[in-house]
Amino acid sequence: MKAWLNQHRRAIAVTGTQAARAPFAHLFQVLVVAVAILLPLLLHLAVQNLQRLGGATEADARIALYLAPEATAKDAEAIAARLDAHAGVAGHRFVSREDAIKDLRRIHEIADLVDALPKNPLPDAFIVRAKSTDPGEIDALRGEAAKWPGVALAQLDSDWAARLDAGLRLARALTAGLAALLAAALLAITFNSIGLQVVNRREEIEVCQLIGATPGFIRRPFLYAGLLQGAAGGLAACALAVLCVAWVNRQLPGVATLYGTEWVMQLPAATDVMAVTGFAALLGWLGAWLAVSRHLWRGTGP
Amino acid sequence: MIELDQVGKRYPASRGSGVLDALKSVTLSIPDGEFAVVTGHSGAGKSTLLKLIAGIELPTSGTVRVDGQDLARSPRALPFLRRKIGLIFQDHKLLHDRTVFDNVQLPLDITGFPPREAARRVRAALDKVGLLSRERERPVTLSGGEQQRLCIARAIVHRPSLLLVDEPTANLDLDYAQEIVDILRSFHQVGVTVVVSTHDLVSLRTAGPRVIALSHGMLATESPA
């Protein structure tokens, strides 16, 4: 056990020494890895933030239940009772036809037009707030309420939410595809950079093999190098993503006003940073393992 | 104990489609603690014999056993077997980007020696070959004889039971060659098995070795020590 720990300590020291010998080369390799990770990471953050924005506005989505002209006060009470009892309803508000025409009259441009009407054409209505933010569930509630007695029309302005949701689903799929592609690219980058180190140190590898080094001993410093390169690249990508998000938040304050919320892009969460760093480290380790193993398998001696 | 039984080694010829028999049906054994010299003309198969014993090459036919282990059948055990062997190469195989100290420390790193104990052993080995004062230098600053001694220090630092030495006195003048032979003899005197491949029998005769002569890949003569 102690010998095994000593070998790991030595492997880490060798990795550190190699990095210290060519700091700029290693820095650039880390930057290449970081840039490769940055693109899908930013896309993931954008999707996450848009999802949050969608969620916030969906919560404000209303279903308007317009009552039939012949609906009585009793019908309205029955509908109110149904809404109170419905598990999918977060709240509701009754808007009488008189209140509705008053609201309409408040719009200056059409006040004269409203006054000219021979009688109030507006129906009584319920404004219903759904518990769910899922467009499908809201639409199901709308469909159900449309069939209730006394309801002439149930209207939901959720087209934009559905479009946003579809767009987000597409963006998520794109992010996953891009992440897979760039994971392969990251593997190739590490494979090449560690492969180059292996070639540069092939004499040392040969000598080590001749004096009793196991494949594990030979692989170890390169695996640490790949692991550290991946982890450093992942951390650098997160740091760059933070800078990008901060820049977006500073440059686009109008976005929040446009959507009527105090919306700002959120920074990557600690779990995101850990996941990205861990995943990049794993890919770095795997790329290094493949690079050294290729060299060892191609070795001619026993 | 080293045992070769009907060992043959065939290489593809460097030109044409033929083959080259470096060793043909060699059978011999070298008991523990022996000082053996493998000699013969260039191309006789001396270096091939050493490479087979060290497991650097595998035989085309026959078996090579070191400490009872058939090297061809136990490739996974090979690194551990090599830790019992001290290899001294004709071309030294030193790492020129490392210091003298680091070169000698390498076999101890491989076995996972504690750093403090390793440093003590490295200094003892360097002292033995007279290079202690040069421990911070790079091998390139050493003369040919000093590089050979450095190679010996690296080979003995982990206290192997077998030393395999390929052409230790090649390219060395008589004084340096005698120094190397004296160092090898001192290890033999403490029980280490020493197998030397050389065509310079003059320098080694003082060590009083058993001589194994090869000719065209075959065992020509053997003389006891």
Side-chain angles (χ1 to χ4, degrees), chain A:
Chain A
M1 183 67 183
K2 209 169 175 183
W4 184 80
L5 285 175
N6 283 329
Q7 285 177 335
H8 276 271
R9 193 162 51 189
R10 183 233 172 232
I12 292 168
V14 169
T15 307
T17 309
Q18 293 294 328
R21 276 184 189 165
F24 286 107
H26 280 82
L27 190 68
F28 277 108
Q29 277 163 9
V30 166
L31 272 178
V32 169
V33 171
V35 171
I37 298 169
L38 184 63
L39 200 60
L41 177 61
L42 281 180
L43 202 56
H44 166 72
L45 285 176
V47 169
Q48 219 174 32
N49 278 282
L50 281 173
Q51 208 168 3
R52 203 167 50 83
L53 173 69
T57 43
E58 271 166 19
D60 290 330
R62 303 272 196 271
I63 300 170
L65 300 181
Y66 298 107
L67 305 194
E70 66 277 13
T72 61
K74 216 173 178 181
D75 290 331
E77 278 171 24
I79 291 168
R82 276 179 178 241
L83 289 170
D84 284 336
H86 201 289
V89 175
H92 63 88
R93 179 167 58 92
F94 179 72
V95 181
S96 69
R97 53 206 303 261
E98 291 77 22
D99 288 341
I101 199 82
K102 273 184 210 162
D103 286 345
L104 200 61
R105 197 173 280 123
R106 276 194 207 109
I107 304 170
H108 290 293
E109 288 84 358
I110 60 166
D112 291 342
L113 192 67
V114 171
D115 288 338
L117 291 170
K119 63 170 190 171
N120 183 356
L122 299 178
D124 291 329
F126 281 95
I127 306 298
V128 181
R129 198 152 45 83
K131 269 186 187 163
S132 170
T133 57
D134 177 67
E137 288 182 28
I138 298 171
D139 197 50
L141 176 63
R142 184 202 61 78
E144 186 188 339
K147 292 173 191 157
W148 291 344
V151 175
L153 177 68
Q155 203 171 46
L156 167 69
D157 183 21
S158 63
D159 283 357
W160 72 272
R163 277 196 293 270
L164 177 65
D165 191 59
L168 286 175
R169 258 183 285 148
L170 179 68
R172 271 196 293 268
L174 273 175
T175 307
L178 197 62
L181 273 178
L182 289 172
L186 184 59
L187 205 63
I189 290 166
T190 318
F191 181 83
N192 275 336
S193 64
I194 300 294
L196 204 61
Q197 287 182 34
V198 170
V199 170
N200 287 338
R201 291 169 60 192
R202 62 184 181 280
E203 282 180 12
E204 182 186 336
I205 292 172
E206 188 200 350
V207 170
C208 286
Q209 282 178 313
L210 288 173
I211 59 179
T214 57
F217 179 88
I218 289 162
R219 274 196 196 102
R220 216 165 279 136
F222 295 106
L223 295 184
Y224 273 116
L227 191 83
L228 289 178
Q229 183 176 301
L235 278 176
C238 290
L240 288 173
V242 167
L243 289 177
C244 289
V245 169
W247 182 81
V248 167
N249 282 339
R250 189 183 286 185
Q251 295 297 315
L252 300 170
V255 173
T257 319
L258 200 64
Y259 285 89
T261 63
E262 290 186 9
W263 185 79
V264 285
M265 258 189 102
Q266 281 192 340
L267 297 174
T271 48
D272 285 339
V273 174
M274 283 193 285
V276 167
T277 307
F279 186 60
L282 185 71
L283 284 175
W285 180 90
L286 186 61
W289 190 88
L290 289 172
V292 189
S293 298
R294 180 171 169 258
H295 180 86
L296 293 176
W297 290 330
R298 286 170 72 177
T300 48

